[in-house]
Amino acid sequence: MHFCGFRHYSILIGRNRIIFQPAQYEIGRLWQLNRISVAQEHYFTAATQAIMSQLYPYIFTSSRRGYRLVAACVGEELHEIGLRMVSDIFELNGWETFYIGANVPFASVIRTVIERKADVLALSATLTYHVSLVRKLIGEIRVNEAEACRKVKILVGGMPFNIDPELWRSVGADGYARDARTAIEAAYGLLGGRESAELGEEA
């Protein structure tokens, strides 16, 4: 990987909790308080995604480790930037990532897990009323007889799971991550902890 590009992205990853994530939390807070419009919220989110996308040529050159991630938002969930950060962390760590994004039907998620033979499925929900959909999707995966569905480890995240750190157990997931940095650590833990993660620089 190009050193400059890697270092710049690594610093942003290491500082994502003091750059990207707090910015998005504040945008969400202002929207909930009716201080900004939906259009403004979408504009600010798009601006963050545009900044992140400028760094993609560097993270997609990292060496592969042989692991596969499928990442999706449940139901009509449209808040996908946090999941995008998670996918970027995995890609930076040499995973083959399949980011299928927001508002993805259950059947499509399951089909992607099977076709891509995912090691980990990351599911995101930012609104409380989407938690039931996370539970339903996980239930459908658990009863699917495909080998990939039996083997895949399911990692959940998003604001409802941050509010209640034990909620992941009740939806049937294998683990939970409160942010992009901890997601890769949790994934390696679910797969036996055989790898160490590149988490970026803190300063």
mmCIF file of all heavy atoms in Angstrom, residues 105-144:
data_model
loop_
_atom_site.group_PDB
_atom_site.id
_atom_site.type_symbol
_atom_site.label_atom_id
_atom_site.label_comp_id
_atom_site.label_asym_id
_atom_site.label_seq_id
_atom_site.Cartn_x
_atom_site.Cartn_y
_atom_site.Cartn_z
ATOM 1 N N PRO A 105 -33.660 -6.157 0.937
ATOM 2 C CA PRO A 105 -34.610 -7.218 1.312
ATOM 3 C C PRO A 105 -33.892 -8.403 1.964
ATOM 4 O O PRO A 105 -32.746 -8.707 1.629
ATOM 5 C CB PRO A 105 -35.231 -7.621 -0.028
ATOM 6 C CG PRO A 105 -35.017 -6.450 -0.928
ATOM 7 C CD PRO A 105 -33.708 -5.854 -0.504
ATOM 8 N N PHE A 106 -34.590 -9.076 2.859
ATOM 9 C CA PHE A 106 -33.999 -10.224 3.549
ATOM 10 C C PHE A 106 -33.452 -11.259 2.577
ATOM 11 O O PHE A 106 -32.358 -11.795 2.762
ATOM 12 C CB PHE A 106 -35.044 -10.886 4.455
ATOM 13 C CG PHE A 106 -35.363 -10.105 5.700
ATOM 14 C CD1 PHE A 106 -34.795 -8.868 5.942
ATOM 15 C CD2 PHE A 106 -36.259 -10.619 6.633
ATOM 16 C CE1 PHE A 106 -35.095 -8.157 7.091
ATOM 17 C CE2 PHE A 106 -36.567 -9.917 7.782
ATOM 18 C CZ PHE A 106 -35.987 -8.684 8.015
ATOM 19 N N ALA A 107 -34.250 -11.575 1.557
ATOM 20 C CA ALA A 107 -33.847 -12.618 0.608
ATOM 21 C C ALA A 107 -32.523 -12.265 -0.068
ATOM 22 O O ALA A 107 -31.688 -13.141 -0.314
ATOM 23 C CB ALA A 107 -34.932 -12.831 -0.440
ATOM 24 N N SER A 108 -32.326 -10.985 -0.334
ATOM 25 C CA SER A 108 -31.090 -10.553 -0.986
ATOM 26 C C SER A 108 -29.904 -10.669 -0.046
ATOM 27 O O SER A 108 -28.799 -11.041 -0.460
ATOM 28 C CB SER A 108 -31.222 -9.108 -1.476
ATOM 29 O OG SER A 108 -32.205 -9.008 -2.482
ATOM 30 N N VAL A 109 -30.123 -10.359 1.220
ATOM 31 C CA VAL A 109 -29.044 -10.499 2.204
ATOM 32 C C VAL A 109 -28.635 -11.965 2.309
ATOM 33 O O VAL A 109 -27.441 -12.299 2.265
ATOM 34 C CB VAL A 109 -29.486 -9.974 3.586
ATOM 35 C CG1 VAL A 109 -28.388 -10.232 4.623
ATOM 36 C CG2 VAL A 109 -29.804 -8.481 3.516
ATOM 37 N N ILE A 110 -29.612 -12.834 2.461
ATOM 38 C CA ILE A 110 -29.327 -14.260 2.617
ATOM 39 C C ILE A 110 -28.643 -14.809 1.371
ATOM 40 O O ILE A 110 -27.676 -15.578 1.474
ATOM 41 C CB ILE A 110 -30.626 -15.033 2.931
ATOM 42 C CG1 ILE A 110 -31.161 -14.599 4.302
ATOM 43 C CG2 ILE A 110 -30.372 -16.541 2.905
ATOM 44 C CD1 ILE A 110 -32.536 -15.152 4.622
ATOM 45 N N ARG A 111 -29.129 -14.432 0.213
ATOM 46 C CA ARG A 111 -28.523 -14.894 -1.033
ATOM 47 C C ARG A 111 -27.060 -14.444 -1.145
ATOM 48 O O ARG A 111 -26.201 -15.212 -1.581
ATOM 49 C CB ARG A 111 -29.321 -14.396 -2.235
ATOM 50 C CG ARG A 111 -28.770 -14.927 -3.569
ATOM 51 C CD ARG A 111 -29.724 -14.661 -4.724
ATOM 52 N NE ARG A 111 -29.933 -13.237 -4.931
ATOM 53 C CZ ARG A 111 -31.087 -12.617 -4.685
ATOM 54 N NH1 ARG A 111 -32.119 -13.284 -4.196
ATOM 55 N NH2 ARG A 111 -31.213 -11.324 -4.908
ATOM 56 N N THR A 112 -26.785 -13.215 -0.731
ATOM 57 C CA THR A 112 -25.410 -12.709 -0.795
ATOM 58 C C THR A 112 -24.506 -13.464 0.174
ATOM 59 O O THR A 112 -23.360 -13.784 -0.154
ATOM 60 C CB THR A 112 -25.377 -11.201 -0.490
ATOM 61 O OG1 THR A 112 -26.250 -10.511 -1.390
ATOM 62 C CG2 THR A 112 -23.969 -10.652 -0.654
ATOM 63 N N VAL A 113 -25.003 -13.746 1.366
ATOM 64 C CA VAL A 113 -24.226 -14.530 2.337
ATOM 65 C C VAL A 113 -23.856 -15.886 1.747
ATOM 66 O O VAL A 113 -22.715 -16.348 1.872
ATOM 67 C CB VAL A 113 -25.025 -14.715 3.648
ATOM 68 C CG1 VAL A 113 -24.378 -15.788 4.536
ATOM 69 C CG2 VAL A 113 -25.112 -13.394 4.400
ATOM 70 N N ILE A 114 -24.809 -16.512 1.072
ATOM 71 C CA ILE A 114 -24.575 -17.836 0.493
ATOM 72 C C ILE A 114 -23.632 -17.749 -0.699
ATOM 73 O O ILE A 114 -22.655 -18.507 -0.789
ATOM 74 C CB ILE A 114 -25.922 -18.470 0.068
ATOM 75 C CG1 ILE A 114 -26.789 -18.736 1.308
ATOM 76 C CG2 ILE A 114 -25.680 -19.764 -0.712
ATOM 77 C CD1 ILE A 114 -28.216 -19.161 0.977
ATOM 78 N N GLU A 115 -23.891 -16.831 -1.607
ATOM 79 C CA GLU A 115 -23.076 -16.729 -2.825
ATOM 80 C C GLU A 115 -21.640 -16.321 -2.519
ATOM 81 O O GLU A 115 -20.701 -16.803 -3.161
ATOM 82 C CB GLU A 115 -23.706 -15.717 -3.784
ATOM 83 C CG GLU A 115 -25.027 -16.189 -4.390
ATOM 84 C CD GLU A 115 -25.670 -15.120 -5.269
ATOM 85 O OE1 GLU A 115 -25.195 -13.960 -5.237
ATOM 86 O OE2 GLU A 115 -26.640 -15.445 -5.979
ATOM 87 N N ARG A 116 -21.467 -15.444 -1.547
ATOM 88 C CA ARG A 116 -20.130 -14.945 -1.214
ATOM 89 C C ARG A 116 -19.435 -15.755 -0.142
ATOM 90 O O ARG A 116 -18.281 -15.495 0.192
ATOM 91 C CB ARG A 116 -20.216 -13.477 -0.766
ATOM 92 C CG ARG A 116 -20.843 -12.549 -1.800
ATOM 93 C CD ARG A 116 -20.100 -12.609 -3.116
ATOM 94 N NE ARG A 116 -20.689 -11.716 -4.114
ATOM 95 C CZ ARG A 116 -20.248 -11.595 -5.359
ATOM 96 N NH1 ARG A 116 -19.230 -12.333 -5.762
ATOM 97 N NH2 ARG A 116 -20.822 -10.770 -6.202
ATOM 98 N N LYS A 117 -20.156 -16.742 0.422
ATOM 99 C CA LYS A 117 -19.593 -17.594 1.476
ATOM 100 C C LYS A 117 -18.971 -16.742 2.579
ATOM 101 O O LYS A 117 -17.806 -16.893 2.955
ATOM 102 C CB LYS A 117 -18.561 -18.567 0.892
ATOM 103 C CG LYS A 117 -19.145 -19.508 -0.148
ATOM 104 C CD LYS A 117 -18.097 -20.450 -0.722
ATOM 105 C CE LYS A 117 -18.699 -21.372 -1.768
ATOM 106 N NZ LYS A 117 -17.694 -22.279 -2.377
ATOM 107 N N ALA A 118 -19.793 -15.847 3.119
ATOM 108 C CA ALA A 118 -19.327 -14.873 4.099
ATOM 109 C C ALA A 118 -18.883 -15.538 5.403
ATOM 110 O O ALA A 118 -19.530 -16.464 5.891
ATOM 111 C CB ALA A 118 -20.429 -13.868 4.393
ATOM 112 N N ASP A 119 -17.776 -15.045 5.934
ATOM 113 C CA ASP A 119 -17.342 -15.453 7.267
ATOM 114 C C ASP A 119 -18.115 -14.681 8.329
ATOM 115 O O ASP A 119 -18.432 -15.216 9.392
ATOM 116 C CB ASP A 119 -15.841 -15.194 7.440
ATOM 117 C CG ASP A 119 -15.001 -16.044 6.513
ATOM 118 O OD1 ASP A 119 -14.932 -17.263 6.737
ATOM 119 O OD2 ASP A 119 -14.429 -15.484 5.556
ATOM 120 N N VAL A 120 -18.373 -13.406 8.041
ATOM 121 C CA VAL A 120 -19.091 -12.533 8.978
ATOM 122 C C VAL A 120 -20.147 -11.739 8.223
ATOM 123 O O VAL A 120 -19.900 -11.244 7.124
ATOM 124 C CB VAL A 120 -18.120 -11.558 9.694
ATOM 125 C CG1 VAL A 120 -18.895 -10.550 10.544
ATOM 126 C CG2 VAL A 120 -17.127 -12.330 10.563
ATOM 127 N N LEU A 121 -21.326 -11.626 8.831
ATOM 128 C CA LEU A 121 -22.378 -10.759 8.334
ATOM 129 C C LEU A 121 -22.553 -9.629 9.340
ATOM 130 O O LEU A 121 -22.821 -9.875 10.516
ATOM 131 C CB LEU A 121 -23.698 -11.523 8.185
ATOM 132 C CG LEU A 121 -24.949 -10.671 7.925
ATOM 133 C CD1 LEU A 121 -24.846 -9.942 6.584
ATOM 134 C CD2 LEU A 121 -26.199 -11.534 7.979
ATOM 135 N N ALA A 122 -22.364 -8.392 8.892
ATOM 136 C CA ALA A 122 -22.551 -7.226 9.753
ATOM 137 C C ALA A 122 -23.901 -6.589 9.442
ATOM 138 O O ALA A 122 -24.169 -6.231 8.297
ATOM 139 C CB ALA A 122 -21.431 -6.215 9.527
ATOM 140 N N LEU A 123 -24.745 -6.465 10.466
ATOM 141 C CA LEU A 123 -26.071 -5.872 10.307
ATOM 142 C C LEU A 123 -26.163 -4.595 11.127
ATOM 143 O O LEU A 123 -25.737 -4.565 12.285
ATOM 144 C CB LEU A 123 -27.158 -6.847 10.760
ATOM 145 C CG LEU A 123 -27.269 -8.160 9.976
ATOM 146 C CD1 LEU A 123 -28.334 -9.052 10.602
ATOM 147 C CD2 LEU A 123 -27.601 -7.888 8.508
ATOM 148 N N SER A 124 -26.732 -3.561 10.521
ATOM 149 C CA SER A 124 -26.823 -2.268 11.190
ATOM 150 C C SER A 124 -28.267 -1.819 11.328
ATOM 151 O O SER A 124 -29.080 -1.994 10.415
ATOM 152 C CB SER A 124 -26.025 -1.217 10.400
ATOM 153 O OG SER A 124 -26.205 0.076 10.948
ATOM 154 N N ALA A 125 -28.585 -1.230 12.492
ATOM 155 C CA ALA A 125 -29.881 -0.605 12.725
ATOM 156 C C ALA A 125 -29.655 0.631 13.586
ATOM 157 O O ALA A 125 -29.037 0.530 14.655
ATOM 158 C CB ALA A 125 -30.840 -1.563 13.422
ATOM 159 N N THR A 126 -30.114 1.770 13.139
ATOM 160 C CA THR A 126 -29.913 2.991 13.913
ATOM 161 C C THR A 126 -31.176 3.439 14.645
ATOM 162 O O THR A 126 -31.107 4.309 15.504
ATOM 163 C CB THR A 126 -29.436 4.152 13.011
ATOM 164 O OG1 THR A 126 -30.389 4.372 11.981
ATOM 165 C CG2 THR A 126 -28.091 3.834 12.395
ATOM 166 N N LEU A 127 -32.302 2.846 14.306
ATOM 167 C CA LEU A 127 -33.567 3.207 14.937
ATOM 168 C C LEU A 127 -34.121 2.012 15.710
ATOM 169 O O LEU A 127 -34.043 0.868 15.253
ATOM 170 C CB LEU A 127 -34.580 3.666 13.885
ATOM 171 C CG LEU A 127 -34.144 4.883 13.055
ATOM 172 C CD1 LEU A 127 -35.177 5.177 11.964
ATOM 173 C CD2 LEU A 127 -33.948 6.106 13.933
ATOM 174 N N THR A 128 -34.706 2.287 16.864
ATOM 175 C CA THR A 128 -35.175 1.222 17.754
ATOM 176 C C THR A 128 -36.201 0.313 17.083
ATOM 177 O O THR A 128 -36.181 -0.909 17.280
ATOM 178 C CB THR A 128 -35.780 1.836 19.027
ATOM 179 O OG1 THR A 128 -34.792 2.656 19.671
ATOM 180 C CG2 THR A 128 -36.223 0.748 19.995
ATOM 181 N N TYR A 129 -37.092 0.877 16.279
ATOM 182 C CA TYR A 129 -38.147 0.048 15.687
ATOM 183 C C TYR A 129 -37.630 -0.860 14.581
ATOM 184 O O TYR A 129 -38.391 -1.654 14.027
ATOM 185 C CB TYR A 129 -39.329 0.884 15.209
ATOM 186 C CG TYR A 129 -39.051 1.916 14.143
ATOM 187 C CD1 TYR A 129 -38.970 1.562 12.805
ATOM 188 C CD2 TYR A 129 -38.898 3.253 14.479
ATOM 189 C CE1 TYR A 129 -38.736 2.520 11.827
ATOM 190 C CE2 TYR A 129 -38.666 4.221 13.513
ATOM 191 C CZ TYR A 129 -38.586 3.843 12.190
ATOM 192 O OH TYR A 129 -38.351 4.790 11.227
ATOM 193 N N HIS A 130 -36.347 -0.778 14.256
ATOM 194 C CA HIS A 130 -35.764 -1.706 13.294
ATOM 195 C C HIS A 130 -35.127 -2.928 13.968
ATOM 196 O O HIS A 130 -34.718 -3.859 13.283
ATOM 197 C CB HIS A 130 -34.707 -0.998 12.440
ATOM 198 C CG HIS A 130 -35.294 -0.076 11.416
ATOM 199 N ND1 HIS A 130 -34.677 1.084 11.013
ATOM 200 C CD2 HIS A 130 -36.459 -0.138 10.712
ATOM 201 C CE1 HIS A 130 -35.409 1.698 10.108
ATOM 202 N NE2 HIS A 130 -36.503 0.977 9.917
ATOM 203 N N VAL A 131 -35.055 -2.908 15.298
ATOM 204 C CA VAL A 131 -34.440 -4.030 16.016
ATOM 205 C C VAL A 131 -35.207 -5.323 15.757
ATOM 206 O O VAL A 131 -34.612 -6.400 15.606
ATOM 207 C CB VAL A 131 -34.362 -3.731 17.526
ATOM 208 C CG1 VAL A 131 -33.933 -4.982 18.302
ATOM 209 C CG2 VAL A 131 -33.381 -2.594 17.794
ATOM 210 N N SER A 132 -36.529 -5.230 15.698
ATOM 211 C CA SER A 132 -37.333 -6.437 15.448
ATOM 212 C C SER A 132 -37.012 -7.032 14.078
ATOM 213 O O SER A 132 -37.063 -8.258 13.895
ATOM 214 C CB SER A 132 -38.826 -6.126 15.541
ATOM 215 O OG SER A 132 -39.204 -5.165 14.556
ATOM 216 N N LEU A 133 -36.662 -6.181 13.114
ATOM 217 C CA LEU A 133 -36.292 -6.674 11.792
ATOM 218 C C LEU A 133 -34.941 -7.375 11.830
ATOM 219 O O LEU A 133 -34.727 -8.359 11.114
ATOM 220 C CB LEU A 133 -36.266 -5.518 10.790
ATOM 221 C CG LEU A 133 -37.600 -4.827 10.519
ATOM 222 C CD1 LEU A 133 -37.409 -3.667 9.553
ATOM 223 C CD2 LEU A 133 -38.614 -5.819 9.975
ATOM 224 N N VAL A 134 -34.030 -6.864 12.647
ATOM 225 C CA VAL A 134 -32.736 -7.529 12.822
ATOM 226 C C VAL A 134 -32.967 -8.937 13.376
ATOM 227 O O VAL A 134 -32.404 -9.918 12.883
ATOM 228 C CB VAL A 134 -31.826 -6.729 13.779
ATOM 229 C CG1 VAL A 134 -30.537 -7.505 14.061
ATOM 230 C CG2 VAL A 134 -31.493 -5.367 13.189
ATOM 231 N N ARG A 135 -33.830 -9.028 14.383
ATOM 232 C CA ARG A 135 -34.138 -10.321 14.995
ATOM 233 C C ARG A 135 -34.763 -11.278 13.966
ATOM 234 O O ARG A 135 -34.395 -12.458 13.896
ATOM 235 C CB ARG A 135 -35.090 -10.133 16.172
ATOM 236 C CG ARG A 135 -35.458 -11.429 16.894
ATOM 237 C CD ARG A 135 -36.443 -11.174 18.024
ATOM 238 N NE ARG A 135 -35.852 -10.390 19.104
ATOM 239 C CZ ARG A 135 -36.158 -9.115 19.354
ATOM 240 N NH1 ARG A 135 -37.049 -8.487 18.586
ATOM 241 N NH2 ARG A 135 -35.586 -8.487 20.346
ATOM 242 N N LYS A 136 -35.672 -10.760 13.163
ATOM 243 C CA LYS A 136 -36.338 -11.597 12.166
ATOM 244 C C LYS A 136 -35.367 -12.083 11.104
ATOM 245 O O LYS A 136 -35.382 -13.270 10.724
ATOM 246 C CB LYS A 136 -37.473 -10.816 11.507
ATOM 247 C CG LYS A 136 -38.269 -11.631 10.500
ATOM 248 C CD LYS A 136 -39.426 -10.825 9.919
ATOM 249 C CE LYS A 136 -40.207 -11.658 8.901
ATOM 250 N NZ LYS A 136 -41.336 -10.878 8.301
ATOM 251 N N LEU A 137 -34.498 -11.201 10.616
ATOM 252 C CA LEU A 137 -33.531 -11.596 9.599
ATOM 253 C C LEU A 137 -32.567 -12.649 10.136
ATOM 254 O O LEU A 137 -32.290 -13.653 9.462
ATOM 255 C CB LEU A 137 -32.743 -10.373 9.119
ATOM 256 C CG LEU A 137 -31.578 -10.649 8.158
ATOM 257 C CD1 LEU A 137 -32.038 -11.447 6.938
ATOM 258 C CD2 LEU A 137 -30.928 -9.337 7.734
ATOM 259 N N ILE A 138 -32.085 -12.434 11.355
ATOM 260 C CA ILE A 138 -31.178 -13.420 11.945
ATOM 261 C C ILE A 138 -31.881 -14.764 12.089
ATOM 262 O O ILE A 138 -31.298 -15.821 11.828
ATOM 263 C CB ILE A 138 -30.647 -12.921 13.308
ATOM 264 C CG1 ILE A 138 -29.732 -11.710 13.093
ATOM 265 C CG2 ILE A 138 -29.908 -14.037 14.044
ATOM 266 C CD1 ILE A 138 -29.246 -11.065 14.372
ATOM 267 N N GLY A 139 -33.150 -14.732 12.478
ATOM 268 C CA GLY A 139 -33.912 -15.969 12.602
ATOM 269 C C GLY A 139 -34.012 -16.713 11.285
ATOM 270 O O GLY A 139 -33.879 -17.944 11.236
ATOM 271 N N GLU A 140 -34.220 -15.969 10.195
ATOM 272 C CA GLU A 140 -34.319 -16.606 8.882
ATOM 273 C C GLU A 140 -32.978 -17.195 8.439
ATOM 274 O O GLU A 140 -32.940 -18.239 7.783
ATOM 275 C CB GLU A 140 -34.824 -15.594 7.854
ATOM 276 C CG GLU A 140 -36.281 -15.201 8.078
ATOM 277 C CD GLU A 140 -36.849 -14.399 6.919
ATOM 278 O OE1 GLU A 140 -36.233 -14.383 5.826
ATOM 279 O OE2 GLU A 140 -37.930 -13.795 7.110
ATOM 280 N N ILE A 141 -31.911 -16.531 8.801
ATOM 281 C CA ILE A 141 -30.580 -17.063 8.465
ATOM 282 C C ILE A 141 -30.311 -18.339 9.250
ATOM 283 O O ILE A 141 -29.789 -19.321 8.709
ATOM 284 C CB ILE A 141 -29.500 -16.004 8.750
ATOM 285 C CG1 ILE A 141 -29.644 -14.838 7.779
ATOM 286 C CG2 ILE A 141 -28.097 -16.619 8.649
ATOM 287 C CD1 ILE A 141 -28.766 -13.653 8.110
ATOM 288 N N ARG A 142 -30.688 -18.345 10.522
ATOM 289 C CA ARG A 142 -30.415 -19.500 11.384
ATOM 290 C C ARG A 142 -31.143 -20.764 10.923
ATOM 291 O O ARG A 142 -30.635 -21.877 11.112
ATOM 292 C CB ARG A 142 -30.819 -19.196 12.826
ATOM 293 C CG ARG A 142 -30.083 -18.039 13.492
ATOM 294 C CD ARG A 142 -28.589 -18.206 13.506
ATOM 295 N NE ARG A 142 -27.944 -17.234 14.390
ATOM 296 C CZ ARG A 142 -26.671 -16.901 14.343
ATOM 297 N NH1 ARG A 142 -25.880 -17.457 13.430
ATOM 298 N NH2 ARG A 142 -26.165 -16.023 15.186
ATOM 299 N N VAL A 143 -32.315 -20.593 10.335
ATOM 300 C CA VAL A 143 -33.071 -21.778 9.920
ATOM 301 C C VAL A 143 -32.760 -22.189 8.484
ATOM 302 O O VAL A 143 -33.209 -23.239 8.036
ATOM 303 C CB VAL A 143 -34.595 -21.561 10.073
ATOM 304 C CG1 VAL A 143 -34.951 -21.279 11.527
ATOM 305 C CG2 VAL A 143 -35.083 -20.437 9.168
ATOM 306 N N ASN A 144 -31.990 -21.354 7.773
ATOM 307 C CA ASN A 144 -31.626 -21.699 6.406
ATOM 308 C C ASN A 144 -30.628 -22.856 6.418
ATOM 309 O O ASN A 144 -29.674 -22.861 7.195
ATOM 310 C CB ASN A 144 -31.012 -20.483 5.710
ATOM 311 C CG ASN A 144 -30.900 -20.674 4.214
ATOM 312 O OD1 ASN A 144 -30.127 -21.493 3.723
ATOM 313 N ND2 ASN A 144 -31.674 -19.897 3.467
#
